[in-house]
Amino acid sequence: MHKKKLTWWVSSLLALMLITLTGCQTVQGLDIGGVIKNDWSVKSSESKGTLQLEFLPGDISKLSADEQKALSALQNVKIELTNVKTEDAAHVSADGSLTYSKGKIPFKLATEGTKIALSIEGAKKPVVFDLLGGSSVSFLQLLPKALQEQFGGKIAEIKPAIIGLILANTANPTRVSVTSVTDKVNGEDLALQKAHIELSGTELAALLQKLLANILADEAGLKDLINQLYDALSPVIQEQITNGSADFTLKLLGNKQLAAGLVYPSVHDFLQKASDSLNAAIAGDASADQISLPIQALFNAKSALQADIYADADKQVRKQALALNLPLANTPGVSGLKLSYVSETWNINKPTKAATIDISSGAVKVNPEASAIYSFLNNLDKQSLLYTLLKNDLKITKKQVSLATTGPVTDTPQPFINADGVTMVPVRFISEKLGAEVGWSGELQQVTIKDLLSGATIVLKLDSKTASVNGSSLNLESAATLHNSSTFVPIRFIAEQLGGVVSFNDDTRVVTIKRD
């Protein structure tokens, strides 16, 4: 299973499907596009919602014991958000909980732009991550750091313009119906119009392909969106220039026409690459990124999506319900996936104050890199339910690194046996594979390794048989040495200090390090 960025991709998928499911035309007297645009234009509100994920059982005979344990833990997962307060586009707070087979994990969240702070039961410090942090989006990299930091909040400010561009280029699905109903929202009976939409996976694929193709062809609409983003960022640009920033890019960005002209090709290129990736995934290209959900299964004819959108007399969305049934024919142990999302909203555009999470005494910053999970786990109480889920049930830290001591030369530094008969391995390659950060001081001829899981710090000096682990001296079998421009260390020392176990296959001449 692909776990990287699971929450981000699931939430993004839900939002994209809800938009794509709606289209922009009026159906049976209800302007569905107008309703969705109103929903994205809401400045403040209170709400609650539930996301539920269920794996349907399949043949588990080919699964290992660890895989069966992980599947059992994830059999039915539910994320509930209550007391959600949206103060404005950049500030939202909520009380939440994650429930799985072994219990419930409470948490609180608060946002500021694209930055999300989480206070989780069992965590020693709050966790902070940025949805745009570490982004490789080309046009974002064009911006000076000061603007990158403000970018997420400004994107939130122009949500109505973004949804307007999407809706203007989205066609209606064929199966849409509208009925009048009476339903409860936050305990209150309301007269609502319910739009019911159904799509198969192939219909969704066609709508998404058409949407991206239309946006790429809509040069005027895309440039208008860039201009609106520029207007939102303009005060920040002018402030930086006024304060005497010497950044040449800022001076270029001071001219709106020039700035828009520079950004448009990068934005268009980004969307074209997204379109090409989507087309490749739909076509079954094995090299296409499968992200965290199997894309080919999502766009399969047997996949079924349903959405119910409930609007009041003011064309405001008051309830939503989304259901996705995804067959997983080629996934061992699983026959399918059911994902559902429901929400209710009230006090729309009325004064609301979002709560905050105090990070003044420190917080753990999590980035999109795979190694971030180790620092996240190090922040958890080892007796906590979340630690048990991630470390023991899902085995997210389980690693295996194999290196051949003989054979053809590759890009990976090859282990060797030194004059002392000790197997030496490349310290940076091994350490990073096992979830550690590596630093090098040329002046001191010294390597510093930070184990993100345990928090241990290991210091090695070239040509020295003494190492430091958390300030205590330890003797090495052989000294760390420079070999083919890389620093090599005794395999057993580095493996054991990073919680690994070493094995050697005499037949294949392959050395393996495993870490649980």
PDB file of all heavy atoms in Angstrom, residues 411-431:
ATOM      1  N   ASP A 411      25.224   3.065  -9.172  1.00  0.00           N
ATOM      2  CA  ASP A 411      25.272   4.398  -8.556  1.00  0.00           C
ATOM      3  C   ASP A 411      25.364   4.305  -7.038  1.00  0.00           C
ATOM      4  O   ASP A 411      25.783   5.251  -6.371  1.00  0.00           O
ATOM      5  CB  ASP A 411      24.013   5.191  -8.941  1.00  0.00           C
ATOM      6  CG  ASP A 411      23.992   5.553 -10.423  1.00  0.00           C
ATOM      7  OD1 ASP A 411      25.087   5.588 -11.022  1.00  0.00           O
ATOM      8  OD2 ASP A 411      22.907   5.777 -10.968  1.00  0.00           O
ATOM      9  N   THR A 412      24.952   3.179  -6.469  1.00  0.00           N
ATOM     10  CA  THR A 412      25.005   2.986  -5.022  1.00  0.00           C
ATOM     11  C   THR A 412      26.412   2.563  -4.612  1.00  0.00           C
ATOM     12  O   THR A 412      26.959   1.597  -5.167  1.00  0.00           O
ATOM     13  CB  THR A 412      24.012   1.897  -4.582  1.00  0.00           C
ATOM     14  OG1 THR A 412      22.706   2.262  -4.993  1.00  0.00           O
ATOM     15  CG2 THR A 412      24.044   1.736  -3.067  1.00  0.00           C
ATOM     16  N   PRO A 413      27.023   3.266  -3.637  1.00  0.00           N
ATOM     17  CA  PRO A 413      28.359   2.865  -3.176  1.00  0.00           C
ATOM     18  C   PRO A 413      28.345   1.408  -2.713  1.00  0.00           C
ATOM     19  O   PRO A 413      27.456   0.994  -1.978  1.00  0.00           O
ATOM     20  CB  PRO A 413      28.643   3.822  -2.011  1.00  0.00           C
ATOM     21  CG  PRO A 413      27.773   5.012  -2.281  1.00  0.00           C
ATOM     22  CD  PRO A 413      26.542   4.473  -2.938  1.00  0.00           C
ATOM     23  N   GLN A 414      29.319   0.634  -3.145  1.00  0.00           N
ATOM     24  CA  GLN A 414      29.351  -0.808  -2.879  1.00  0.00           C
ATOM     25  C   GLN A 414      30.133  -1.120  -1.612  1.00  0.00           C
ATOM     26  O   GLN A 414      31.225  -0.589  -1.388  1.00  0.00           O
ATOM     27  CB  GLN A 414      29.989  -1.518  -4.074  1.00  0.00           C
ATOM     28  CG  GLN A 414      29.792  -3.014  -4.095  1.00  0.00           C
ATOM     29  CD  GLN A 414      30.328  -3.613  -5.385  1.00  0.00           C
ATOM     30  OE1 GLN A 414      31.457  -3.364  -5.781  1.00  0.00           O
ATOM     31  NE2 GLN A 414      29.510  -4.396  -6.060  1.00  0.00           N
ATOM     32  N   PRO A 415      29.583  -1.978  -0.732  1.00  0.00           N
ATOM     33  CA  PRO A 415      30.327  -2.361   0.472  1.00  0.00           C
ATOM     34  C   PRO A 415      31.640  -3.050   0.088  1.00  0.00           C
ATOM     35  O   PRO A 415      31.778  -3.590  -1.014  1.00  0.00           O
ATOM     36  CB  PRO A 415      29.376  -3.341   1.169  1.00  0.00           C
ATOM     37  CG  PRO A 415      28.037  -3.098   0.578  1.00  0.00           C
ATOM     38  CD  PRO A 415      28.270  -2.648  -0.815  1.00  0.00           C
ATOM     39  N   PHE A 416      32.561  -3.046   1.020  1.00  0.00           N
ATOM     40  CA  PHE A 416      33.816  -3.778   0.792  1.00  0.00           C
ATOM     41  C   PHE A 416      34.323  -4.321   2.117  1.00  0.00           C
ATOM     42  O   PHE A 416      33.896  -3.868   3.188  1.00  0.00           O
ATOM     43  CB  PHE A 416      34.870  -2.879   0.137  1.00  0.00           C
ATOM     44  CG  PHE A 416      35.395  -1.790   1.035  1.00  0.00           C
ATOM     45  CD1 PHE A 416      36.565  -1.986   1.778  1.00  0.00           C
ATOM     46  CD2 PHE A 416      34.733  -0.577   1.137  1.00  0.00           C
ATOM     47  CE1 PHE A 416      37.061  -0.976   2.597  1.00  0.00           C
ATOM     48  CE2 PHE A 416      35.218   0.434   1.964  1.00  0.00           C
ATOM     49  CZ  PHE A 416      36.384   0.229   2.689  1.00  0.00           C
ATOM     50  N   ILE A 417      35.173  -5.309   2.044  1.00  0.00           N
ATOM     51  CA  ILE A 417      35.781  -5.879   3.245  1.00  0.00           C
ATOM     52  C   ILE A 417      37.198  -5.331   3.353  1.00  0.00           C
ATOM     53  O   ILE A 417      38.011  -5.480   2.427  1.00  0.00           O
ATOM     54  CB  ILE A 417      35.793  -7.415   3.184  1.00  0.00           C
ATOM     55  CG1 ILE A 417      34.353  -7.939   3.106  1.00  0.00           C
ATOM     56  CG2 ILE A 417      36.505  -8.000   4.399  1.00  0.00           C
ATOM     57  CD1 ILE A 417      34.254  -9.441   2.921  1.00  0.00           C
ATOM     58  N   ASN A 418      37.511  -4.677   4.487  1.00  0.00           N
ATOM     59  CA  ASN A 418      38.812  -4.015   4.615  1.00  0.00           C
ATOM     60  C   ASN A 418      39.892  -4.984   5.118  1.00  0.00           C
ATOM     61  O   ASN A 418      39.636  -6.188   5.258  1.00  0.00           O
ATOM     62  CB  ASN A 418      38.700  -2.783   5.526  1.00  0.00           C
ATOM     63  CG  ASN A 418      38.391  -3.145   6.971  1.00  0.00           C
ATOM     64  OD1 ASN A 418      38.419  -4.310   7.363  1.00  0.00           O
ATOM     65  ND2 ASN A 418      38.096  -2.136   7.766  1.00  0.00           N
ATOM     66  N   ALA A 419      41.066  -4.441   5.359  1.00  0.00           N
ATOM     67  CA  ALA A 419      42.215  -5.261   5.766  1.00  0.00           C
ATOM     68  C   ALA A 419      41.995  -5.950   7.108  1.00  0.00           C
ATOM     69  O   ALA A 419      42.627  -6.979   7.407  1.00  0.00           O
ATOM     70  CB  ALA A 419      43.469  -4.390   5.833  1.00  0.00           C
ATOM     71  N   ASP A 420      41.097  -5.416   7.938  1.00  0.00           N
ATOM     72  CA  ASP A 420      40.787  -6.037   9.238  1.00  0.00           C
ATOM     73  C   ASP A 420      39.751  -7.150   9.102  1.00  0.00           C
ATOM     74  O   ASP A 420      39.358  -7.761  10.104  1.00  0.00           O
ATOM     75  CB  ASP A 420      40.252  -4.988  10.218  1.00  0.00           C
ATOM     76  CG  ASP A 420      41.272  -3.899  10.522  1.00  0.00           C
ATOM     77  OD1 ASP A 420      42.472  -4.210  10.486  1.00  0.00           O
ATOM     78  OD2 ASP A 420      40.856  -2.745  10.782  1.00  0.00           O
ATOM     79  N   GLY A 421      39.264  -7.382   7.860  1.00  0.00           N
ATOM     80  CA  GLY A 421      38.228  -8.393   7.657  1.00  0.00           C
ATOM     81  C   GLY A 421      36.846  -7.910   8.059  1.00  0.00           C
ATOM     82  O   GLY A 421      35.930  -8.726   8.269  1.00  0.00           O
ATOM     83  N   VAL A 422      36.671  -6.589   8.150  1.00  0.00           N
ATOM     84  CA  VAL A 422      35.393  -5.995   8.563  1.00  0.00           C
ATOM     85  C   VAL A 422      34.646  -5.480   7.340  1.00  0.00           C
ATOM     86  O   VAL A 422      35.242  -4.814   6.480  1.00  0.00           O
ATOM     87  CB  VAL A 422      35.630  -4.832   9.554  1.00  0.00           C
ATOM     88  CG1 VAL A 422      34.311  -4.129   9.893  1.00  0.00           C
ATOM     89  CG2 VAL A 422      36.303  -5.354  10.814  1.00  0.00           C
ATOM     90  N   THR A 423      33.363  -5.793   7.260  1.00  0.00           N
ATOM     91  CA  THR A 423      32.543  -5.288   6.157  1.00  0.00           C
ATOM     92  C   THR A 423      32.228  -3.819   6.400  1.00  0.00           C
ATOM     93  O   THR A 423      31.664  -3.453   7.446  1.00  0.00           O
ATOM     94  CB  THR A 423      31.228  -6.085   6.035  1.00  0.00           C
ATOM     95  OG1 THR A 423      31.543  -7.458   5.807  1.00  0.00           O
ATOM     96  CG2 THR A 423      30.389  -5.562   4.877  1.00  0.00           C
ATOM     97  N   MET A 424      32.589  -2.983   5.438  1.00  0.00           N
ATOM     98  CA  MET A 424      32.380  -1.535   5.543  1.00  0.00           C
ATOM     99  C   MET A 424      31.261  -1.119   4.577  1.00  0.00           C
ATOM    100  O   MET A 424      31.205  -1.588   3.441  1.00  0.00           O
ATOM    101  CB  MET A 424      33.668  -0.790   5.197  1.00  0.00           C
ATOM    102  CG  MET A 424      34.877  -1.224   6.006  1.00  0.00           C
ATOM    103  SD  MET A 424      34.780  -0.723   7.743  1.00  0.00           S
ATOM    104  CE  MET A 424      35.181   1.034   7.595  1.00  0.00           C
ATOM    105  N   VAL A 425      30.383  -0.229   5.035  1.00  0.00           N
ATOM    106  CA  VAL A 425      29.234   0.192   4.224  1.00  0.00           C
ATOM    107  C   VAL A 425      29.181   1.720   4.152  1.00  0.00           C
ATOM    108  O   VAL A 425      29.684   2.421   5.046  1.00  0.00           O
ATOM    109  CB  VAL A 425      27.911  -0.337   4.800  1.00  0.00           C
ATOM    110  CG1 VAL A 425      27.823  -1.846   4.669  1.00  0.00           C
ATOM    111  CG2 VAL A 425      27.723   0.100   6.246  1.00  0.00           C
ATOM    112  N   PRO A 426      28.568   2.259   3.097  1.00  0.00           N
ATOM    113  CA  PRO A 426      28.461   3.718   2.947  1.00  0.00           C
ATOM    114  C   PRO A 426      27.520   4.304   3.991  1.00  0.00           C
ATOM    115  O   PRO A 426      26.335   3.987   4.001  1.00  0.00           O
ATOM    116  CB  PRO A 426      27.906   3.890   1.530  1.00  0.00           C
ATOM    117  CG  PRO A 426      27.191   2.602   1.246  1.00  0.00           C
ATOM    118  CD  PRO A 426      27.962   1.537   1.965  1.00  0.00           C
ATOM    119  N   VAL A 427      28.025   5.145   4.855  1.00  0.00           N
ATOM    120  CA  VAL A 427      27.262   5.583   6.012  1.00  0.00           C
ATOM    121  C   VAL A 427      26.052   6.447   5.623  1.00  0.00           C
ATOM    122  O   VAL A 427      24.975   6.302   6.200  1.00  0.00           O
ATOM    123  CB  VAL A 427      28.169   6.334   7.016  1.00  0.00           C
ATOM    124  CG1 VAL A 427      28.698   7.639   6.432  1.00  0.00           C
ATOM    125  CG2 VAL A 427      27.423   6.593   8.316  1.00  0.00           C
ATOM    126  N   ARG A 428      26.207   7.350   4.655  1.00  0.00           N
ATOM    127  CA  ARG A 428      25.075   8.209   4.288  1.00  0.00           C
ATOM    128  C   ARG A 428      23.941   7.380   3.678  1.00  0.00           C
ATOM    129  O   ARG A 428      22.780   7.524   4.057  1.00  0.00           O
ATOM    130  CB  ARG A 428      25.509   9.304   3.315  1.00  0.00           C
ATOM    131  CG  ARG A 428      24.358  10.215   2.887  1.00  0.00           C
ATOM    132  CD  ARG A 428      24.824  11.328   1.976  1.00  0.00           C
ATOM    133  NE  ARG A 428      25.705  12.262   2.657  1.00  0.00           N
ATOM    134  CZ  ARG A 428      25.282  13.270   3.411  1.00  0.00           C
ATOM    135  NH1 ARG A 428      23.978  13.470   3.575  1.00  0.00           N
ATOM    136  NH2 ARG A 428      26.143  14.075   3.984  1.00  0.00           N
ATOM    137  N   PHE A 429      24.287   6.512   2.744  1.00  0.00           N
ATOM    138  CA  PHE A 429      23.268   5.710   2.059  1.00  0.00           C
ATOM    139  C   PHE A 429      22.511   4.847   3.065  1.00  0.00           C
ATOM    140  O   PHE A 429      21.270   4.827   3.078  1.00  0.00           O
ATOM    141  CB  PHE A 429      23.923   4.832   0.995  1.00  0.00           C
ATOM    142  CG  PHE A 429      22.956   3.936   0.270  1.00  0.00           C
ATOM    143  CD1 PHE A 429      22.185   4.414  -0.780  1.00  0.00           C
ATOM    144  CD2 PHE A 429      22.808   2.600   0.653  1.00  0.00           C
ATOM    145  CE1 PHE A 429      21.289   3.587  -1.438  1.00  0.00           C
ATOM    146  CE2 PHE A 429      21.923   1.770   0.004  1.00  0.00           C
ATOM    147  CZ  PHE A 429      21.158   2.262  -1.046  1.00  0.00           C
ATOM    148  N   ILE A 430      23.224   4.139   3.921  1.00  0.00           N
ATOM    149  CA  ILE A 430      22.587   3.238   4.883  1.00  0.00           C
ATOM    150  C   ILE A 430      21.764   4.026   5.904  1.00  0.00           C
ATOM    151  O   ILE A 430      20.613   3.681   6.206  1.00  0.00           O
ATOM    152  CB  ILE A 430      23.651   2.393   5.621  1.00  0.00           C
ATOM    153  CG1 ILE A 430      24.333   1.433   4.644  1.00  0.00           C
ATOM    154  CG2 ILE A 430      23.026   1.632   6.776  1.00  0.00           C
ATOM    155  CD1 ILE A 430      23.421   0.396   4.044  1.00  0.00           C
ATOM    156  N   SER A 431      22.331   5.100   6.433  1.00  0.00           N
ATOM    157  CA  SER A 431      21.653   5.867   7.475  1.00  0.00           C
ATOM    158  C   SER A 431      20.346   6.464   6.968  1.00  0.00           C
ATOM    159  O   SER A 431      19.312   6.397   7.652  1.00  0.00           O
ATOM    160  CB  SER A 431      22.569   6.981   7.992  1.00  0.00           C
ATOM    161  OG  SER A 431      23.741   6.446   8.559  1.00  0.00           O
TER     162      SER A 431
END
